[in-house]
Short mmCIF file of all heavy atoms in Angstrom, two decimals:
data_model
loop_
_atom_site.label_atom_id
_atom_site.label_comp_id
_atom_site.label_asym_id
_atom_site.label_seq_id
_atom_site.Cartn_x
_atom_site.Cartn_y
_atom_site.Cartn_z
N MET A 2 -15.71 1.76 10.90
CA MET A 2 -15.42 1.79 9.49
C MET A 2 -14.86 3.17 9.16
O MET A 2 -15.24 4.16 9.76
CB MET A 2 -16.68 1.52 8.66
CG MET A 2 -16.38 1.59 7.21
SD MET A 2 -17.70 1.23 6.00
CE MET A 2 -19.20 1.34 6.83
N GLU A 3 -13.97 3.18 8.19
CA GLU A 3 -13.37 4.43 7.76
C GLU A 3 -13.60 4.61 6.27
O GLU A 3 -13.48 3.67 5.49
CB GLU A 3 -11.86 4.38 8.04
CG GLU A 3 -11.15 5.66 7.73
CD GLU A 3 -9.71 5.61 8.15
OE1 GLU A 3 -9.44 5.27 9.31
OE2 GLU A 3 -8.86 5.89 7.30
N LEU A 4 -13.95 5.82 5.87
CA LEU A 4 -14.21 6.14 4.47
C LEU A 4 -13.36 7.34 4.11
O LEU A 4 -13.39 8.36 4.80
CB LEU A 4 -15.68 6.47 4.27
CG LEU A 4 -16.12 6.94 2.90
CD1 LEU A 4 -15.92 5.82 1.87
CD2 LEU A 4 -17.56 7.36 2.93
N ILE A 5 -12.59 7.22 3.05
CA ILE A 5 -11.72 8.31 2.62
C ILE A 5 -12.26 8.85 1.30
O ILE A 5 -12.45 8.11 0.35
CB ILE A 5 -10.28 7.82 2.44
CG1 ILE A 5 -9.74 7.32 3.77
CG2 ILE A 5 -9.40 8.94 1.88
CD1 ILE A 5 -8.38 6.65 3.66
N LEU A 6 -12.51 10.15 1.27
CA LEU A 6 -13.01 10.81 0.07
C LEU A 6 -11.99 11.85 -0.37
O LEU A 6 -11.49 12.62 0.43
CB LEU A 6 -14.34 11.51 0.35
CG LEU A 6 -15.47 10.63 0.86
CD1 LEU A 6 -16.65 11.50 1.29
CD2 LEU A 6 -15.90 9.67 -0.21
N LYS A 7 -11.68 11.85 -1.66
CA LYS A 7 -10.75 12.84 -2.20
C LYS A 7 -11.45 13.58 -3.32
O LYS A 7 -12.03 12.97 -4.21
CB LYS A 7 -9.50 12.15 -2.75
CG LYS A 7 -8.69 11.45 -1.69
CD LYS A 7 -7.48 10.79 -2.30
CE LYS A 7 -6.72 10.02 -1.24
NZ LYS A 7 -5.51 9.40 -1.78
N SER A 8 -11.40 14.92 -3.26
CA SER A 8 -12.04 15.72 -4.29
C SER A 8 -11.42 17.10 -4.32
O SER A 8 -10.97 17.62 -3.30
CB SER A 8 -13.53 15.83 -4.01
OG SER A 8 -14.13 16.68 -4.96
N ASN A 9 -11.41 17.68 -5.50
CA ASN A 9 -10.97 19.07 -5.65
C ASN A 9 -12.16 20.02 -5.73
O ASN A 9 -11.99 21.22 -5.77
CB ASN A 9 -10.11 19.22 -6.93
CG ASN A 9 -8.78 18.52 -6.78
OD1 ASN A 9 -8.25 18.40 -5.69
ND2 ASN A 9 -8.23 18.07 -7.89
N ASN A 10 -13.36 19.47 -5.76
CA ASN A 10 -14.57 20.26 -5.88
C ASN A 10 -15.07 20.63 -4.48
O ASN A 10 -15.62 19.79 -3.76
CB ASN A 10 -15.62 19.47 -6.66
CG ASN A 10 -16.83 20.30 -7.00
OD1 ASN A 10 -17.09 21.31 -6.39
ND2 ASN A 10 -17.57 19.84 -7.99
N GLU A 11 -14.88 21.88 -4.11
CA GLU A 11 -15.27 22.34 -2.77
C GLU A 11 -16.78 22.28 -2.56
O GLU A 11 -17.24 22.01 -1.46
CB GLU A 11 -14.76 23.77 -2.55
CG GLU A 11 -13.26 23.88 -2.45
CD GLU A 11 -12.69 23.19 -1.23
OE1 GLU A 11 -13.35 23.18 -0.18
OE2 GLU A 11 -11.57 22.66 -1.32
N GLU A 12 -17.56 22.49 -3.61
CA GLU A 12 -19.02 22.44 -3.49
C GLU A 12 -19.49 21.04 -3.10
O GLU A 12 -20.33 20.87 -2.22
CB GLU A 12 -19.66 22.83 -4.83
CG GLU A 12 -20.49 24.09 -4.77
CD GLU A 12 -21.09 24.39 -6.12
OE1 GLU A 12 -22.04 23.70 -6.53
OE2 GLU A 12 -20.59 25.33 -6.76
N SER A 13 -18.95 20.05 -3.79
CA SER A 13 -19.33 18.66 -3.50
C SER A 13 -18.93 18.28 -2.08
O SER A 13 -19.69 17.62 -1.37
CB SER A 13 -18.65 17.71 -4.49
OG SER A 13 -19.11 17.94 -5.79
N LEU A 14 -17.73 18.69 -1.69
CA LEU A 14 -17.28 18.38 -0.32
C LEU A 14 -18.18 19.04 0.72
O LEU A 14 -18.48 18.43 1.74
CB LEU A 14 -15.83 18.83 -0.14
CG LEU A 14 -14.79 18.00 -0.86
CD1 LEU A 14 -13.41 18.61 -0.69
CD2 LEU A 14 -14.78 16.57 -0.35
N ALA A 15 -18.62 20.26 0.46
CA ALA A 15 -19.50 20.95 1.41
C ALA A 15 -20.82 20.20 1.57
O ALA A 15 -21.34 20.06 2.68
CB ALA A 15 -19.76 22.38 0.93
N LYS A 16 -21.35 19.67 0.47
CA LYS A 16 -22.59 18.90 0.53
C LYS A 16 -22.40 17.60 1.31
O LYS A 16 -23.24 17.21 2.12
CB LYS A 16 -23.10 18.59 -0.88
CG LYS A 16 -23.60 19.81 -1.61
CD LYS A 16 -24.01 19.47 -3.03
CE LYS A 16 -24.44 20.71 -3.80
NZ LYS A 16 -24.78 20.41 -5.19
N ILE A 17 -21.28 16.94 1.06
CA ILE A 17 -20.99 15.68 1.76
C ILE A 17 -20.81 15.93 3.25
O ILE A 17 -21.33 15.18 4.09
CB ILE A 17 -19.74 15.00 1.15
CG1 ILE A 17 -20.06 14.53 -0.26
CG2 ILE A 17 -19.27 13.85 2.03
CD1 ILE A 17 -18.85 14.07 -1.04
N ILE A 18 -20.12 17.00 3.60
CA ILE A 18 -19.90 17.34 5.02
C ILE A 18 -21.23 17.68 5.69
O ILE A 18 -21.49 17.25 6.82
CB ILE A 18 -18.88 18.48 5.15
CG1 ILE A 18 -17.50 17.97 4.74
CG2 ILE A 18 -18.85 19.04 6.55
CD1 ILE A 18 -16.45 19.04 4.60
N ALA A 19 -22.10 18.41 5.00
CA ALA A 19 -23.41 18.75 5.56
C ALA A 19 -24.23 17.50 5.81
O ALA A 19 -24.87 17.36 6.87
CB ALA A 19 -24.15 19.70 4.62
N LEU A 20 -24.21 16.57 4.88
CA LEU A 20 -24.94 15.31 5.05
C LEU A 20 -24.36 14.50 6.20
O LEU A 20 -25.10 13.95 7.02
CB LEU A 20 -24.89 14.49 3.76
CG LEU A 20 -25.55 13.12 3.82
CD1 LEU A 20 -27.04 13.25 4.12
CD2 LEU A 20 -25.32 12.37 2.52
N ALA A 21 -23.05 14.46 6.30
CA ALA A 21 -22.40 13.71 7.37
C ALA A 21 -22.78 14.29 8.74
O ALA A 21 -23.01 13.54 9.69
CB ALA A 21 -20.89 13.72 7.18
N LYS A 22 -22.85 15.60 8.83
CA LYS A 22 -23.24 16.23 10.10
C LYS A 22 -24.68 15.88 10.48
O LYS A 22 -24.98 15.63 11.64
CB LYS A 22 -23.06 17.74 10.01
CG LYS A 22 -21.61 18.16 10.07
CD LYS A 22 -21.46 19.67 9.98
CE LYS A 22 -20.01 20.07 10.02
NZ LYS A 22 -19.82 21.52 9.87
N LYS A 23 -25.57 15.83 9.48
CA LYS A 23 -26.96 15.46 9.75
C LYS A 23 -27.07 14.01 10.23
O LYS A 23 -27.94 13.67 11.01
CB LYS A 23 -27.82 15.63 8.50
CG LYS A 23 -28.14 17.06 8.17
CD LYS A 23 -29.05 17.14 6.97
CE LYS A 23 -29.33 18.59 6.61
NZ LYS A 23 -30.19 18.70 5.43
N LEU A 24 -26.16 13.16 9.74
CA LEU A 24 -26.17 11.75 10.11
C LEU A 24 -25.32 11.45 11.35
O LEU A 24 -25.13 10.30 11.72
CB LEU A 24 -25.67 10.91 8.93
CG LEU A 24 -26.51 10.97 7.66
CD1 LEU A 24 -25.81 10.22 6.53
CD2 LEU A 24 -27.88 10.37 7.92
N ASN A 25 -24.80 12.49 11.99
CA ASN A 25 -23.95 12.36 13.18
C ASN A 25 -22.72 11.49 12.93
O ASN A 25 -22.39 10.61 13.71
CB ASN A 25 -24.75 11.82 14.37
CG ASN A 25 -25.80 12.79 14.84
OD1 ASN A 25 -25.59 13.99 14.79
ND2 ASN A 25 -26.94 12.26 15.25
N VAL A 26 -22.06 11.75 11.80
CA VAL A 26 -20.85 11.03 11.44
C VAL A 26 -19.65 11.90 11.79
O VAL A 26 -19.65 13.11 11.54
CB VAL A 26 -20.84 10.70 9.92
CG1 VAL A 26 -19.54 10.06 9.49
CG2 VAL A 26 -22.01 9.80 9.58
N VAL A 27 -18.64 11.30 12.38
CA VAL A 27 -17.43 12.03 12.73
C VAL A 27 -16.64 12.33 11.45
O VAL A 27 -16.44 11.47 10.61
CB VAL A 27 -16.55 11.20 13.70
CG1 VAL A 27 -15.26 11.92 14.01
CG2 VAL A 27 -17.33 10.90 14.96
N ILE A 28 -16.20 13.58 11.33
CA ILE A 28 -15.48 14.01 10.14
C ILE A 28 -14.07 14.45 10.53
O ILE A 28 -13.90 15.24 11.46
CB ILE A 28 -16.20 15.19 9.45
CG1 ILE A 28 -17.61 14.79 9.08
CG2 ILE A 28 -15.41 15.67 8.25
CD1 ILE A 28 -18.45 15.97 8.65
N GLU A 29 -13.08 13.94 9.82
CA GLU A 29 -11.70 14.39 9.98
C GLU A 29 -11.22 14.86 8.63
O GLU A 29 -11.25 14.11 7.66
CB GLU A 29 -10.79 13.25 10.44
CG GLU A 29 -10.99 12.83 11.86
CD GLU A 29 -10.02 11.73 12.26
OE1 GLU A 29 -8.90 11.69 11.71
OE2 GLU A 29 -10.39 10.92 13.11
N LYS A 30 -10.80 16.09 8.55
CA LYS A 30 -10.32 16.63 7.29
C LYS A 30 -8.80 16.67 7.32
O LYS A 30 -8.21 17.24 8.24
CB LYS A 30 -10.88 18.02 7.04
CG LYS A 30 -10.52 18.59 5.69
CD LYS A 30 -11.19 19.92 5.45
CE LYS A 30 -10.81 20.47 4.10
NZ LYS A 30 -11.40 21.78 3.86
N LYS A 31 -8.19 16.05 6.33
CA LYS A 31 -6.74 16.04 6.24
C LYS A 31 -6.36 16.62 4.89
O LYS A 31 -6.91 16.24 3.86
CB LYS A 31 -6.20 14.61 6.34
CG LYS A 31 -6.47 13.97 7.66
CD LYS A 31 -5.90 12.58 7.71
CE LYS A 31 -6.22 11.92 9.03
NZ LYS A 31 -5.70 10.56 9.10
N ASN A 32 -5.43 17.52 4.90
CA ASN A 32 -4.95 18.09 3.64
C ASN A 32 -3.78 17.26 3.14
O ASN A 32 -2.73 17.20 3.77
CB ASN A 32 -4.51 19.53 3.83
CG ASN A 32 -5.69 20.44 4.10
OD1 ASN A 32 -6.78 20.19 3.62
ND2 ASN A 32 -5.48 21.49 4.87
N ALA A 33 -3.99 16.59 2.04
CA ALA A 33 -2.95 15.76 1.45
C ALA A 33 -2.51 16.37 0.13
O ALA A 33 -2.24 15.68 -0.83
CB ALA A 33 -3.46 14.35 1.25
N ASP A 34 -2.46 17.69 0.09
CA ASP A 34 -2.11 18.39 -1.13
C ASP A 34 -0.59 18.46 -1.25
O ASP A 34 0.07 19.17 -0.51
CB ASP A 34 -2.71 19.78 -1.11
CG ASP A 34 -2.53 20.50 -2.44
OD1 ASP A 34 -2.40 19.80 -3.46
OD2 ASP A 34 -2.53 21.73 -2.44
N PHE A 35 -0.04 17.68 -2.18
CA PHE A 35 1.39 17.67 -2.40
C PHE A 35 1.71 18.60 -3.57
O PHE A 35 1.08 18.54 -4.61
CB PHE A 35 1.88 16.26 -2.77
CG PHE A 35 1.82 15.29 -1.65
CD1 PHE A 35 1.02 14.17 -1.74
CD2 PHE A 35 2.55 15.47 -0.50
CE1 PHE A 35 0.96 13.25 -0.73
CE2 PHE A 35 2.50 14.57 0.52
CZ PHE A 35 1.70 13.45 0.42
N ASN A 36 2.73 19.42 -3.38
CA ASN A 36 3.16 20.21 -4.52
C ASN A 36 4.11 19.36 -5.37
O ASN A 36 4.46 18.24 -5.01
CB ASN A 36 3.81 21.52 -4.09
CG ASN A 36 4.99 21.30 -3.16
OD1 ASN A 36 5.60 20.24 -3.18
ND2 ASN A 36 5.32 22.29 -2.36
N LYS A 37 4.50 19.88 -6.51
CA LYS A 37 5.26 19.09 -7.47
C LYS A 37 6.61 18.65 -6.90
O LYS A 37 7.03 17.51 -7.09
CB LYS A 37 5.46 19.87 -8.77
CG LYS A 37 6.07 19.05 -9.86
CD LYS A 37 6.01 19.74 -11.18
CE LYS A 37 6.56 18.79 -12.24
NZ LYS A 37 6.34 19.24 -13.57
N THR A 38 7.29 19.51 -6.17
CA THR A 38 8.61 19.13 -5.64
C THR A 38 8.49 18.04 -4.59
O THR A 38 9.33 17.15 -4.54
CB THR A 38 9.33 20.36 -5.05
OG1 THR A 38 8.51 20.94 -4.04
CG2 THR A 38 9.65 21.38 -6.11
N THR A 39 7.43 18.07 -3.80
CA THR A 39 7.23 17.02 -2.80
C THR A 39 6.98 15.68 -3.49
O THR A 39 7.52 14.66 -3.08
CB THR A 39 6.04 17.37 -1.90
OG1 THR A 39 6.24 18.65 -1.34
CG2 THR A 39 5.89 16.36 -0.79
N ARG A 40 6.19 15.69 -4.54
CA ARG A 40 5.92 14.45 -5.29
C ARG A 40 7.20 13.91 -5.92
O ARG A 40 7.44 12.71 -5.90
CB ARG A 40 4.88 14.70 -6.37
CG ARG A 40 3.49 14.87 -5.83
CD ARG A 40 2.52 15.10 -6.95
NE ARG A 40 1.23 15.44 -6.40
CZ ARG A 40 0.10 15.03 -6.90
NH1 ARG A 40 0.09 14.29 -7.98
NH2 ARG A 40 -1.03 15.37 -6.35
N VAL A 41 8.00 14.78 -6.50
CA VAL A 41 9.25 14.35 -7.14
C VAL A 41 10.19 13.77 -6.09
O VAL A 41 10.80 12.72 -6.31
CB VAL A 41 9.91 15.52 -7.90
CG1 VAL A 41 11.31 15.17 -8.35
CG2 VAL A 41 9.05 15.92 -9.09
N ASN A 42 10.30 14.41 -4.95
CA ASN A 42 11.16 13.91 -3.88
C ASN A 42 10.70 12.55 -3.38
O ASN A 42 11.50 11.65 -3.15
CB ASN A 42 11.21 14.90 -2.71
CG ASN A 42 11.98 16.15 -3.05
OD1 ASN A 42 12.76 16.17 -4.01
ND2 ASN A 42 11.76 17.20 -2.30
N LEU A 43 9.39 12.39 -3.21
CA LEU A 43 8.84 11.12 -2.76
C LEU A 43 9.08 10.03 -3.79
O LEU A 43 9.48 8.91 -3.46
CB LEU A 43 7.35 11.26 -2.47
CG LEU A 43 6.63 10.03 -1.96
CD1 LEU A 43 7.24 9.56 -0.65
CD2 LEU A 43 5.16 10.32 -1.76
N LYS A 44 8.87 10.36 -5.06
CA LYS A 44 9.11 9.40 -6.14
C LYS A 44 10.58 8.96 -6.15
O LYS A 44 10.88 7.77 -6.28
CB LYS A 44 8.74 10.03 -7.48
CG LYS A 44 9.00 9.15 -8.67
CD LYS A 44 8.69 9.89 -9.95
CE LYS A 44 9.21 9.12 -11.15
NZ LYS A 44 9.06 9.88 -12.38
N ASN A 45 11.49 9.91 -6.01
CA ASN A 45 12.92 9.58 -6.00
C ASN A 45 13.30 8.72 -4.81
O ASN A 45 14.11 7.81 -4.93
CB ASN A 45 13.77 10.85 -6.04
CG ASN A 45 13.71 11.53 -7.38
OD1 ASN A 45 13.43 10.89 -8.39
ND2 ASN A 45 13.92 12.83 -7.40
N ARG A 46 12.71 8.99 -3.65
CA ARG A 46 12.98 8.16 -2.47
C ARG A 46 12.54 6.73 -2.69
O ARG A 46 13.22 5.78 -2.32
CB ARG A 46 12.26 8.71 -1.24
CG ARG A 46 12.97 9.88 -0.60
CD ARG A 46 12.29 10.31 0.68
NE ARG A 46 12.22 9.20 1.63
CZ ARG A 46 11.34 9.14 2.62
NH1 ARG A 46 10.45 10.09 2.79
NH2 ARG A 46 11.33 8.11 3.44
N ILE A 47 11.38 6.56 -3.32
CA ILE A 47 10.86 5.21 -3.59
C ILE A 47 11.73 4.50 -4.61
O ILE A 47 12.09 3.33 -4.45
CB ILE A 47 9.40 5.28 -4.06
CG1 ILE A 47 8.51 5.75 -2.90
CG2 ILE A 47 8.93 3.94 -4.59
CD1 ILE A 47 7.10 6.10 -3.32
N LEU A 48 12.09 5.20 -5.69
CA LEU A 48 12.88 4.58 -6.75
C LEU A 48 14.31 4.27 -6.31
O LEU A 48 14.91 3.32 -6.80
CB LEU A 48 12.90 5.49 -7.98
CG LEU A 48 11.57 5.63 -8.71
CD1 LEU A 48 11.70 6.64 -9.83
CD2 LEU A 48 11.10 4.30 -9.24
N ASN A 49 14.85 5.04 -5.38
CA ASN A 49 16.24 4.84 -4.95
C ASN A 49 16.36 4.03 -3.67
O ASN A 49 17.44 3.96 -3.08
CB ASN A 49 16.93 6.19 -4.77
CG ASN A 49 17.06 6.93 -6.07
OD1 ASN A 49 17.23 6.33 -7.12
ND2 ASN A 49 16.96 8.25 -6.02
N PHE A 50 15.27 3.42 -3.24
CA PHE A 50 15.29 2.64 -2.00
C PHE A 50 16.20 1.43 -2.14
O PHE A 50 16.16 0.70 -3.11
CB PHE A 50 13.87 2.18 -1.65
CG PHE A 50 13.84 1.30 -0.44
CD1 PHE A 50 13.95 1.84 0.82
CD2 PHE A 50 13.71 -0.07 -0.57
CE1 PHE A 50 13.93 1.03 1.94
CE2 PHE A 50 13.69 -0.89 0.53
CZ PHE A 50 13.79 -0.34 1.80
N LYS A 51 17.03 1.24 -1.16
CA LYS A 51 17.90 0.08 -1.11
C LYS A 51 17.78 -0.55 0.27
O LYS A 51 17.87 0.13 1.28
CB LYS A 51 19.35 0.48 -1.35
CG LYS A 51 19.57 1.16 -2.69
CD LYS A 51 20.82 0.67 -3.33
CE LYS A 51 21.19 1.38 -4.58
NZ LYS A 51 20.35 1.36 -5.67
N ALA A 52 17.56 -1.83 0.30
CA ALA A 52 17.43 -2.54 1.57
C ALA A 52 18.79 -2.60 2.25
O ALA A 52 19.82 -2.72 1.59
CB ALA A 52 16.88 -3.93 1.35
N THR A 53 18.79 -2.53 3.57
CA THR A 53 20.05 -2.56 4.30
C THR A 53 20.50 -3.98 4.61
O THR A 53 21.68 -4.22 4.78
CB THR A 53 19.92 -1.78 5.62
OG1 THR A 53 18.82 -2.32 6.36
CG2 THR A 53 19.68 -0.31 5.35
N GLY A 54 19.58 -4.91 4.68
CA GLY A 54 19.95 -6.28 5.03
C GLY A 54 19.54 -7.25 3.94
O GLY A 54 18.96 -6.89 2.92
N SER A 55 19.87 -8.50 4.17
CA SER A 55 19.50 -9.52 3.20
C SER A 55 18.01 -9.86 3.35
O SER A 55 17.38 -9.53 4.34
CB SER A 55 20.34 -10.78 3.41
OG SER A 55 20.09 -11.31 4.69
N THR A 56 17.47 -10.55 2.37
CA THR A 56 16.06 -10.89 2.41
C THR A 56 15.80 -11.95 3.48
O THR A 56 16.69 -12.72 3.84
CB THR A 56 15.58 -11.43 1.06
OG1 THR A 56 16.25 -12.65 0.81
CG2 THR A 56 15.88 -10.46 -0.07
N SER A 57 14.58 -11.99 3.95
CA SER A 57 14.23 -12.96 4.98
C SER A 57 13.76 -14.28 4.37
O SER A 57 13.36 -15.17 5.09
CB SER A 57 13.12 -12.38 5.85
OG SER A 57 11.99 -12.11 5.06
N PHE A 58 13.79 -14.38 3.06
CA PHE A 58 13.29 -15.57 2.41
C PHE A 58 14.34 -16.66 2.26
O PHE A 58 14.01 -17.79 1.93
CB PHE A 58 12.74 -15.22 1.01
CG PHE A 58 11.60 -14.26 1.09
CD1 PHE A 58 11.76 -12.96 0.66
CD2 PHE A 58 10.38 -14.63 1.61
CE1 PHE A 58 10.72 -12.06 0.73
CE2 PHE A 58 9.34 -13.75 1.69
CZ PHE A 58 9.51 -12.45 1.25
N GLY A 59 15.60 -16.34 2.44
CA GLY A 59 16.65 -17.34 2.31
C GLY A 59 17.05 -17.54 0.87
O GLY A 59 16.76 -16.74 -0.01
N ASP A 60 17.72 -18.65 0.62
CA ASP A 60 18.23 -18.95 -0.71
C ASP A 60 17.15 -19.66 -1.52
O ASP A 60 16.76 -20.78 -1.20
CB ASP A 60 19.49 -19.82 -0.58
CG ASP A 60 20.14 -20.08 -1.91
OD1 ASP A 60 19.83 -19.39 -2.88
OD2 ASP A 60 20.99 -21.00 -1.97
N ALA A 61 16.71 -19.04 -2.60
CA ALA A 61 15.63 -19.60 -3.41
C ALA A 61 16.06 -20.88 -4.11
O ALA A 61 15.29 -21.83 -4.22
CB ALA A 61 15.16 -18.57 -4.43
N ALA A 62 17.31 -20.92 -4.57
CA ALA A 62 17.79 -22.11 -5.28
C ALA A 62 17.86 -23.30 -4.33
O ALA A 62 17.48 -24.43 -4.69
CB ALA A 62 19.17 -21.84 -5.88
N GLU A 63 18.30 -23.07 -3.11
CA GLU A 63 18.37 -24.15 -2.11
C GLU A 63 16.98 -24.68 -1.79
O GLU A 63 16.76 -25.89 -1.68
CB GLU A 63 19.05 -23.63 -0.85
CG GLU A 63 19.24 -24.66 0.22
CD GLU A 63 19.89 -24.05 1.46
OE1 GLU A 63 20.84 -23.26 1.31
OE2 GLU A 63 19.41 -24.37 2.56
N TRP A 64 16.02 -23.79 -1.64
CA TRP A 64 14.64 -24.20 -1.36
C TRP A 64 14.09 -25.05 -2.49
O TRP A 64 13.46 -26.07 -2.26
CB TRP A 64 13.77 -22.96 -1.16
CG TRP A 64 12.32 -23.29 -0.95
CD1 TRP A 64 11.71 -23.65 0.22
CD2 TRP A 64 11.30 -23.33 -1.96
NE1 TRP A 64 10.38 -23.89 0.00
CE2 TRP A 64 10.10 -23.71 -1.34
CE3 TRP A 64 11.29 -23.09 -3.32
CZ2 TRP A 64 8.91 -23.84 -2.03
CZ3 TRP A 64 10.09 -23.22 -4.01
CH2 TRP A 64 8.92 -23.60 -3.37
N GLU A 65 14.32 -24.60 -3.74
CA GLU A 65 13.80 -25.34 -4.88
C GLU A 65 14.44 -26.72 -4.97
O GLU A 65 13.75 -27.72 -5.23
CB GLU A 65 14.06 -24.57 -6.18
CG GLU A 65 13.44 -25.23 -7.38
CD GLU A 65 13.58 -24.41 -8.64
OE1 GLU A 65 14.19 -23.34 -8.61
OE2 GLU A 65 13.06 -24.87 -9.66
N GLN A 66 15.74 -26.83 -4.73
CA GLN A 66 16.41 -28.13 -4.75
C GLN A 66 15.83 -29.05 -3.69
O GLN A 66 15.61 -30.24 -3.94
CB GLN A 66 17.91 -27.96 -4.53
CG GLN A 66 18.62 -27.39 -5.73
CD GLN A 66 20.08 -27.08 -5.43
OE1 GLN A 66 20.53 -27.20 -4.29
NE2 GLN A 66 20.80 -26.67 -6.46
N HIS A 67 15.56 -28.50 -2.52
CA HIS A 67 14.99 -29.31 -1.44
C HIS A 67 13.58 -29.79 -1.81
O HIS A 67 13.22 -30.94 -1.57
CB HIS A 67 14.95 -28.50 -0.14
CG HIS A 67 14.28 -29.22 0.98
ND1 HIS A 67 14.86 -30.31 1.61
CD2 HIS A 67 13.09 -29.03 1.59
CE1 HIS A 67 14.03 -30.75 2.53
NE2 HIS A 67 12.95 -29.99 2.55
N GLN A 68 12.78 -28.91 -2.42
CA GLN A 68 11.42 -29.27 -2.81
C GLN A 68 11.38 -30.33 -3.91
O GLN A 68 10.51 -31.17 -3.94
CB GLN A 68 10.65 -28.03 -3.27
CG GLN A 68 10.36 -27.05 -2.17
CD GLN A 68 9.48 -27.63 -1.09
OE1 GLN A 68 8.48 -28.28 -1.37
NE2 GLN A 68 9.84 -27.40 0.16
N ARG A 69 12.35 -30.27 -4.80
CA ARG A 69 12.37 -31.18 -5.93
C ARG A 69 13.22 -32.43 -5.68
O ARG A 69 13.33 -33.29 -6.55
CB ARG A 69 12.90 -30.46 -7.17
CG ARG A 69 11.97 -29.37 -7.63
CD ARG A 69 12.57 -28.61 -8.78
NE ARG A 69 11.67 -27.60 -9.27
CZ ARG A 69 10.89 -27.75 -10.33
NH1 ARG A 69 10.92 -28.85 -11.03
NH2 ARG A 69 10.07 -26.79 -10.70
N SER A 70 13.82 -32.53 -4.52
CA SER A 70 14.69 -33.68 -4.25
C SER A 70 13.88 -34.98 -4.21
O SER A 70 12.66 -34.97 -3.98
CB SER A 70 15.40 -33.48 -2.91
OG SER A 70 14.47 -33.47 -1.86
N ASP A 71 14.56 -36.07 -4.48
CA ASP A 71 13.89 -37.37 -4.45
C ASP A 71 13.45 -37.68 -3.03
O ASP A 71 14.20 -37.52 -2.07
CB ASP A 71 14.85 -38.47 -4.92
CG ASP A 71 15.14 -38.36 -6.41
OD1 ASP A 71 14.29 -37.81 -7.12
OD2 ASP A 71 16.21 -38.82 -6.83
N ARG A 72 12.25 -38.10 -2.90
CA ARG A 72 11.73 -38.46 -1.58
C ARG A 72 10.87 -39.71 -1.73
O ARG A 72 10.35 -40.02 -2.80
CB ARG A 72 10.94 -37.31 -0.99
CG ARG A 72 9.82 -36.80 -1.85
CD ARG A 72 9.36 -35.44 -1.34
NE ARG A 72 8.44 -34.80 -2.23
CZ ARG A 72 8.77 -34.10 -3.30
NH1 ARG A 72 10.02 -33.91 -3.59
NH2 ARG A 72 7.85 -33.56 -4.05
N GLU A 73 10.71 -40.38 -0.63
CA GLU A 73 9.96 -41.62 -0.64
C GLU A 73 8.48 -41.31 -0.67
O GLU A 73 7.96 -40.55 0.17
CB GLU A 73 10.29 -42.41 0.63
CG GLU A 73 10.00 -43.88 0.50
CD GLU A 73 10.51 -44.62 1.71
OE1 GLU A 73 11.69 -44.50 2.04
OE2 GLU A 73 9.69 -45.30 2.33
N LEU A 74 7.76 -41.84 -1.64
CA LEU A 74 6.33 -41.61 -1.76
C LEU A 74 5.57 -42.74 -1.05
O LEU A 74 6.01 -43.88 -1.06
CB LEU A 74 5.94 -41.52 -3.22
CG LEU A 74 6.60 -40.38 -4.01
CD1 LEU A 74 6.22 -40.44 -5.48
CD2 LEU A 74 6.21 -39.05 -3.44
N PRO A 75 4.43 -42.45 -0.45
CA PRO A 75 3.72 -43.45 0.33
C PRO A 75 3.11 -44.58 -0.50
O PRO A 75 2.85 -45.65 0.01
CB PRO A 75 2.63 -42.65 1.03
CG PRO A 75 2.44 -41.45 0.20
CD PRO A 75 3.77 -41.16 -0.42
N PHE A 76 2.90 -44.39 -1.78
CA PHE A 76 2.22 -45.39 -2.59
C PHE A 76 3.16 -46.13 -3.53
O PHE A 76 2.73 -46.73 -4.47
CB PHE A 76 1.08 -44.78 -3.39
CG PHE A 76 1.46 -43.50 -4.10
CD1 PHE A 76 2.06 -43.53 -5.33
CD2 PHE A 76 1.17 -42.29 -3.51
CE1 PHE A 76 2.41 -42.37 -5.97
CE2 PHE A 76 1.51 -41.12 -4.14
CZ PHE A 76 2.12 -41.14 -5.37
N SER A 77 4.47 -46.09 -3.30
CA SER A 77 5.38 -46.80 -4.20
C SER A 77 5.78 -48.15 -3.66
O SER A 77 5.62 -48.52 -2.57
CB SER A 77 6.62 -45.96 -4.48
OG SER A 77 7.28 -45.64 -3.28
#
């Protein structure tokens, strides 16, 4: 199981880390501190994303026509 904790309070993190050590829990600390320019760049990349190929779902109108087409029902 994996548990991710995010906090800006160093005191709380120190207490959690001390408890985890007593319980023999493996701790991995990752710094995910993004500055403002990194966040703006990431936001722009997400907003400007364009797919290179067509969708894998096919033609929605064709699928709907096929689903709604007249078909023989077993109880008619």
